[in-house]
Amino acid sequence: MKRPQKTMILFPPDWNKEEPYYSLPCLTSVLRPDGIEVIQKDLNIDFYDHMLTRAGLTQLLDMRRREFADLERRPFLGAPQQQNYETLAKEVHFLPFLIEEVEECVAILRTKDSMEDRTTFGRAHRNVETAIRAIKRTLDRPGMELASSDDVFAAATTPRPGPWEEYVEAHFLSELRAEAPDIVGLSITAVQQLLPGFTLARYVREACPDAHITVGGDIISIGREVFQGQARWYDLVDSFIYFEGETPFRTLHRVLRDGDPLADVPNCSYLEDGEVQVSVHASMEDVDALPTPDFDGLVWEKYLTSERSLCVTAARGCHWGRCSFCTLSYGIQGVGSVRCRTPKKIVEDIKALKARYGGDHFYVAGNGIPPVFLSEIADALIEQDVEIVWGCEAKIERPMTSDLLGRLSQSGLRRIQYGVESINKRVLNKLMKKGCPMPIVESVIEDTVRVGIAPHVFLMLGFPGETEDEALETWEFARRNRGNVFTLAVSPFNLNKYSEVDTLAEKYGVEIYRHPERDLARSYMYSVAPPAISPQRAIALARAIQLEFNDFSAYPESGLFDFHRGLMFAAIQYEHDPNFLDAQKRARTQQRTQQRTRNGNRPGEPQPVENGRNGHAHGAPGGNGLEGETLLKLPSNIGVRELSFDLRQLHKSVQTTMSEAYGKLGTGRTLKENREEFANRAGLAASPTNVVFDARECFAVYSCKQDAAAILKRLEGQPGTLDAVTASCARDVSERRKVQRVVRGLVKRGMIEVAASE
C-alpha cells in the first residue's frame, strides 16, 4: 500500500501583509478530502514577520550602509547608480529610527481596537509601511528588469547574499528537509514575486531533488508563452499550471501517484525528452462545487492586522465582460461570462469559516458581482441572522438602488469598491465600453454613504483617445465627491497584454512598444497621437489627483491604503459612531486649505530649508520669544548629514533619464541598449551638500544651507542655550544676529525644540 502523498504549497514575497493569499486555502481545500497531507506556508508573511524586528532591520541597515559607503566614495555616479544613491541615503538615516520603533508599531497594528486612536495607529502604519518598502527593495537586483525572463532566470540561478536568501537558508530549508514533501507547489501571482519565487524553487530543487515542483498563478498564466517556449525553466521546476488551479493541481497528484502521464493534467506544461509539452486538456471550475476554503496551518498572529479578515468566493469572471482595458476574462478563461456560487453556499462558507476561525470580517470575492446576487446574499445573511462585517466589489448600474444598498448595509456590508474609471460619457462608454449609466454614478455613491457603507472609488486617466479636458472632468468629479468617497485610487491607463486595446491597437490609435526583453510583462509601453493625452501626462495628472485627495482622506496620515485594512477601519468606526461618514465629510471640508506640497517641489524631491525660514512644519511654537538662556535641543526625529552628492540634483537627473528613456521607445532600440547607454554616461559629479532627515514628517528629506546645518550639528546629542549655540556658530559679533535669526527659524520649522526648564 502506497503511503499518503505529502504536499507543501508555498507563497513567496512580495504581497500584502494583512491576510493570507486566497490561492493557498483554495488549493488546500480540494486536496485534503483526498487524504493528501498538505502543508501550506505563506512565506511572504513569514519573511516580513522575521524582518519587521529590531534584529531584522539591523541586518538590513548593515547591508545598506555597506552599499551606501561604496557609492559615497565615488567621484561621480552614472545613471544606474543615481536613483540607488537617493534611496540608500534615505534608508541609512531612517532605518535607525525605525529599528527603535518597529516592534512597538507592529504590535499596535496587531492590537484589537488600535484603530480607535487614529493618531497612534497612523504613526504605526506609516512606520511599518516605510520599513516594508525598504525590505521589499532587497528582493530585486540592481539594474535588472523584473519583467525580463532573461534577467529573472539569470538572477534566480545565480546565488547572492541578501535578506530573502538568508531567511530561506536559516529558517525554511530545515523544515523543508524534515517534511520531505512529494510535491511542492509555488503560487506566484505578481511580477514582483517572480525572482523571489524562482529563487525559492532553486533552493527547493537543491534540498529535495526528488520532489515534483509545480508553479502556477496569474503572472504565470499571463506569461505562459515564455514558460511553454523555453526549456531552461524546467531545470528549476517540473511543471507549470495555468489559469484556475484546483482541478489541474488535484489531477497532478493523481497522475504522479498512479504513474500516469503528465499529459493527463489539464492546463499544464512539462518537459519530456528535452522538449516542452503542453497538455491538450483544459479545465474550468464549477464554482458552486468547490469546497469551503481551508486555512488550517496558516499562522494568523503573524499578519499585520488586529482582525482576521477571511475571504469567500462569490463569482469568477465578470457578468459584463466587455471593458476594453480589462484582461480578467483571459485570466480565468471565461470570456464574457460569470460563474457564480449560489448565495446559499456563500452563506454556508461564511458561517463555517466564522465558527472555525473566529473571524467576523469577510471579503466576498468576485469582480463586479451582479446586483441580483448581491441582493440574494444580503437577504440570506439577514434571514439567517449572520452577524459579520463584509466588503465586496460592484459595478455601478441601475439595479444598485437605495433599497438594495440599505439591505446590504443591514446585512453587514461596510466597504464597497466601485470602478468608476471616468466621468466623461464618451471615454467611459464609447472608448472603455464600461456600460455605466452616467446620471446615476454620483447618486449611487451618495446613497452608499447615506446607508453607512464606505465607498472606495477607482479612477483611470489617459485611456487612448482621452483628451486633457475629458480627463479634467474626472478630476472635478473627484473634487465634488471628496466628502462621499472614503478612499480613492487614481491610476494612469495601463495597456494590458491581451486586452482589447492590445489586440486592436490600430483601432484605438496606439503604437505599442513590444520589447522582446520584457516578455513577462503584463502591460506594454505605448504612445498616442494628439489631442489624446500622453502616458506621461496621464501619470502626472493621476499623481496630482491622488495627492490632492490624500490630503483630505479619512485615513490617518495616509490616503491610499490596503482594501482589507480599510474595510476593518470603516467597520470599526461605524460600529463606534454610526455617523462617522458624515463626520469625515465635515472634516475633509474643513481641511481644504491644506497645502499638498511645499514650495512647489515635485513629490519625492528633497525640499529646501532656507536657513529655517520656510514656515511651520509641525505646529511648533514660534521662536521670537527665545532668550539667551533658553535651552535648545535637536528632536529625536531630526538628523543632519553631509552627503557626497546633492540629492536635489540627483532627483532631477533621474527624472531627465526617465524622460529620455520614454523618448527612445519608438526608435527600435532594445532595453539592454538603453541601459548600456545610460550606464556609460559620465553621470553626476560629487557635490558635497548638507541635508536634514525628518523621520516624523513622513520621512522627508530637506536640503540645508551651511548656516542651518552648522547649528543643527552643534545640537546633535548635546542640548545648548541660545547664547552657547550663537557663540559656537558665529564667527564674529556681526554674525550673532544672523545665527539667532536662523535658530528662531529652525524652531518655527520644528527642527529645533525648546527644552523644558529643569
Side-chain angles (χ1 to χ4, degrees):
M1 181 178 178
K2 294 182 179 180
R3 69 173 178 85
Q5 289 173 303
K6 180 185 287 188
T7 292
M8 186 173 279
I9 308 175
L10 308 175
F11 188 70
D14 176 77
W15 197 251
N16 74 55
K17 324 301 181 292
E18 282 72 38
E19 69 287 315
Y21 187 64
Y22 197 38
S23 66
L24 273 67
C26 286
L27 294 171
T28 299
S29 69
V30 299
L31 296 180
R32 282 179 173 160
D34 290 344
I36 298 169
E37 182 182 351
V38 181
I39 303 162
Q40 53 179 332
K41 291 190 68 65
D42 186 347
L43 292 180
N44 174 58
I45 194 60
D46 288 348
F47 172 63
Y48 278 99
D49 181 64
H50 167 74
M51 291 297 298
L52 289 171
T53 60
R54 292 177 63 93
L57 291 188
T58 299
Q59 172 195 2
L60 175 59
L61 176 60
D62 291 342
M63 182 181 80
R64 290 314 203 195
R65 280 175 170 165
R66 291 192 298 270
E67 295 172 354
F68 185 62
D70 175 65
L71 295 181
E72 278 278 80
R73 288 191 292 266
R74 300 188 182 195
F76 64 86
L77 297 179
Q81 293 83 39
Q82 290 174 16
Q83 190 167 10
N84 196 35
Y85 181 92
E86 184 178 0
T87 298
L88 290 172
K90 294 177 181 180
E91 288 185 1
V92 297
H93 294 100
F94 291 148
L95 279 171
F97 174 85
L98 292 172
I99 287 169
E100 296 300 318
E101 297 216 350
V102 65
E103 293 182 1
E104 176 190 353
C105 291
V106 167
I108 289 171
L109 298 187
R110 290 171 174 166
T111 302
K112 193 173 180 63
D113 299 330
S114 61
M115 292 185 192
E116 293 181 38
D117 184 347
R118 293 174 58 193
T119 300
T120 300
F121 185 85
R123 176 184 63 83
H125 177 266
R126 181 204 64 198
N127 289 346
V128 171
E129 288 299 315
T130 302
I132 285 173
R133 286 194 294 271
I135 297 166
K136 179 180 178 179
R137 283 190 280 266
T138 68
L139 297 172
D140 304 331
R141 303 283 180 92
M144 75 168 287
E145 168 57 62
L146 290 179
S148 165
S149 65
D150 287 342
D151 284 10
V152 171
F153 186 84
T157 54
T158 304
R160 64 123 197 198
W164 169 239
E165 291 79 3
E166 291 173 15
Y167 172 80
V168 172
E169 293 173 1
H171 300 279
F172 173 66
L173 289 184
S174 59
E175 180 182 358
L176 177 69
R177 294 188 182 100
E179 294 291 353
D182 303 294
I183 299 173
V184 176
L186 275 66
S187 179
I188 300 178
T189 195
V191 68
Q192 70 268 18
Q193 292 179 286
L194 287 168
L195 177 54
F198 284 108
T199 299
L200 179 62
R202 172 173 58 81
Y203 277 112
V204 173
R205 173 68 83 210
E206 294 169 355
C208 297
D210 295 329
H212 182 101
I213 305 172
T214 189
V215 181
D218 186 55
I219 193 63
I220 302 300
S221 299
I222 293 290
R224 61 177 180 173
E225 292 87 353
V226 170
F227 304 113
Q228 293 174 2
Q230 298 178 5
R232 61 182 175 178
W233 294 99
Y234 299 86
D235 294 336
L236 294 174
V237 306
D238 297 289
S239 64
F240 290 94
I241 291 175
Y242 310 99
F243 308 112
E244 295 171 285
E246 288 93 344
T247 295
F249 199 36
R250 188 182 181 193
T251 306
L252 177 66
H253 283 74
R254 177 184 59 78
V255 302
L256 291 177
R257 180 195 64 202
D258 297 341
D260 294 332
L262 287 173
D264 291 347
V265 180
N267 306 345
C268 178
S269 67
Y270 54 94
L271 198 67
E272 186 175 274
D273 298 328
E275 298 289 334
V276 179
Q277 306 295 324
V278 181
S279 65
V280 297
H281 304 289
S283 69
M284 185 182 295
E285 303 301 332
D286 178 353
V287 175
D288 209 40
L290 293 173
T292 300
D294 187 342
F295 292 83
D296 284 1
L298 296 172
V299 184
W300 291 98
E301 291 73 20
K302 291 185 177 182
Y303 293 96
L304 301 181
T305 177
S306 60
E307 302 284 350
R308 292 186 179 182
S309 182
L310 297 153
C311 190
V312 296
T313 298
R316 290 185 183 176
C318 176
H319 76 287
W320 179 250
R322 304 172 205 173
C323 296
S324 54
F325 57 81
C326 185
T327 59
L328 173 67
S329 296
Y330 172 84
I332 50 84
Q333 297 180 306
V335 177
S337 67
V338 61
R339 290 160 288 143
C340 294
R341 195 166 176 86
T342 61
K344 178 182 177 182
K345 287 281 188 71
I346 294 170
V347 174
E348 288 176 357
D349 290 341
I350 290 172
K351 291 169 68 176
L353 292 173
K354 181 178 180 180
R356 189 167 186 172
Y357 301 108
D360 57 6
H361 289 75
F362 285 83
Y363 180 57
V364 179
N367 297 89
I369 306 170
V372 63
F373 270 78
L374 286 175
S375 177
E376 293 178 11
I377 293 169
D379 290 343
L381 289 170
I382 294 169
E383 289 170 6
Q384 299 185 40
D385 197 25
V386 180
E387 295 185 4
I388 62 166
V389 169
W390 62 289
C392 70
E393 179 181 324
K395 180 175 179 287
I396 292 181
E397 41 196 331
R398 296 195 185 281
M400 294 294 290
T401 62
S402 58
D403 175 69
L404 172 56
L405 288 166
R407 284 185 289 117
L408 287 167
S409 178
Q410 185 183 351
S411 72
L413 184 68
R414 293 292 178 267
R415 187 83 162 119
I416 193 166
Q417 292 174 298
Y418 290 133
V420 173
E421 317 307 355
S422 171
I423 205 65
N424 179 271
K425 184 176 181 179
R426 184 185 79 91
V427 173
L428 187 65
N429 291 330
K430 184 176 181 181
L431 298 180
M432 293 184 180
K433 299 183 180 180
K434 185 79 176 180
C436 181
M438 298 294 299
I440 70 168
V441 171
E442 295 186 52
S443 63
V444 168
I445 293 174
E446 290 173 2
D447 287 342
T448 302
V449 174
R450 181 179 54 79
V451 300
I453 301 171
H456 174 89
V457 168
F458 293 100
L459 296 178
M460 180 191 300
L461 296 182
F463 189 90
E466 182 178 35
T467 66
E468 178 104 359
D469 288 343
E470 290 168 332
L472 292 178
E473 288 181 39
T474 299
W475 192 338
E476 286 303 317
F477 162 82
R479 285 174 170 165
R480 286 196 308 272
N481 290 275
R482 182 180 289 131
N484 288 327
V485 174
F486 187 70
T487 48
L488 181 74
V490 191
S491 63
F493 167 74
N494 281 322
L495 202 163
N496 289 321
K497 189 177 181 180
Y498 303 117
S499 67
E500 183 175 302
V501 180
D502 174 27
T503 56
L504 300 176
E506 186 175 350
K507 172 186 173 181
Y508 286 92
V510 299
E511 181 179 0
I512 302 176
Y513 307 116
R514 306 178 192 275
H515 288 285
E517 297 160 288
R518 300 187 74 248
D519 49 2
L520 289 173
R522 63 168 64 241
S523 61
Y524 297 116
M525 297 177 182
Y526 68 97
S527 63
V528 291
I533 60 175
S534 68
Q536 298 93 316
R537 179 60 176 160
I539 292 171
L541 286 174
R543 178 182 297 170
I545 298 174
Q546 192 72 68
L547 283 171
E548 180 176 86
F549 189 89
N550 285 2
D551 278 344
F552 315 110
S553 171
Y555 195 65
E557 301 190 40
S558 176
L560 181 61
F561 58 97
D562 175 76
F563 171 78
H564 292 289
R565 182 168 287 163
L567 161 65
M568 289 183 286
F569 182 75
I572 291 170
Q573 292 298 317
Y574 185 85
E575 291 163 1
H576 287 276
D577 178 10
N579 298 315
F580 91 98
L581 287 174
D582 288 337
Q584 297 310 322
K585 182 176 180 179
R586 291 193 299 272
R588 288 174 181 168
T589 301
Q590 293 169 1
Q591 296 174 11
R592 288 186 180 182
T593 57
Q594 287 188 352
Q595 191 177 354
R596 290 197 305 276
T597 56
R598 191 176 289 111
N599 296 329
N601 290 78
R602 296 175 181 176
E605 182 178 345
Q607 302 163 6
V609 177
E610 298 292 344
N611 287 336
R613 287 180 287 177
N614 58 336
H616 296 260
H618 309 297
N624 292 330
L626 297 181
E627 303 293 339
E629 295 303 313
T630 301
L631 188 62
L632 307 173
K633 69 175 184 178
L634 203 65
S636 61
N637 56 287
I638 294 294
V640 59
R641 299 290 183 272
E642 182 177 304
L643 302 180
S644 298
F645 295 88
D646 188 324
L647 291 186
R648 298 189 75 192
Q649 292 182 25
L650 278 174
H651 190 85
K652 292 175 182 177
S653 178
V654 169
Q655 297 298 318
T656 301
T657 298
M658 292 175 63
S659 298
E660 290 180 6
Y662 267 107
K664 295 179 181 295
L665 286 177
T667 63
R669 295 166 57 92
T670 67
L671 292 174
K672 182 178 180 181
E673 289 170 336
N674 283 341
R675 287 204 297 263
E676 288 176 349
E677 177 184 330
F678 294 142
N680 292 330
R681 283 172 43 186
L684 195 70
S687 176
T689 184
N690 292 291
V691 294
V692 176
F693 294 88
D694 186 349
R696 178 170 55 185
E697 192 174 300
C698 298
F699 300 91
V701 180
Y702 308 95
S703 60
C704 186
K705 287 195 172 182
Q706 188 65 37
D707 293 338
I711 293 168
L712 294 173
K713 289 178 180 178
R714 162 63 180 80
L715 291 171
E716 275 193 309
Q718 183 180 0
T721 65
L722 177 60
D723 283 344
V725 171
T726 302
S728 62
C729 295
R731 287 171 293 187
D732 51 48
V733 175
S734 63
E735 285 194 352
R736 290 179 63 85
R737 184 171 295 179
K738 177 182 178 182
V739 169
Q740 291 185 1
R741 185 178 69 246
V742 175
V743 169
R744 291 186 175 96
L746 291 169
V747 171
K748 289 181 180 180
R749 187 82 177 93
M751 293 183 176
I752 293 178
E753 288 181 350
V754 176
S757 58
E758 297 181 359

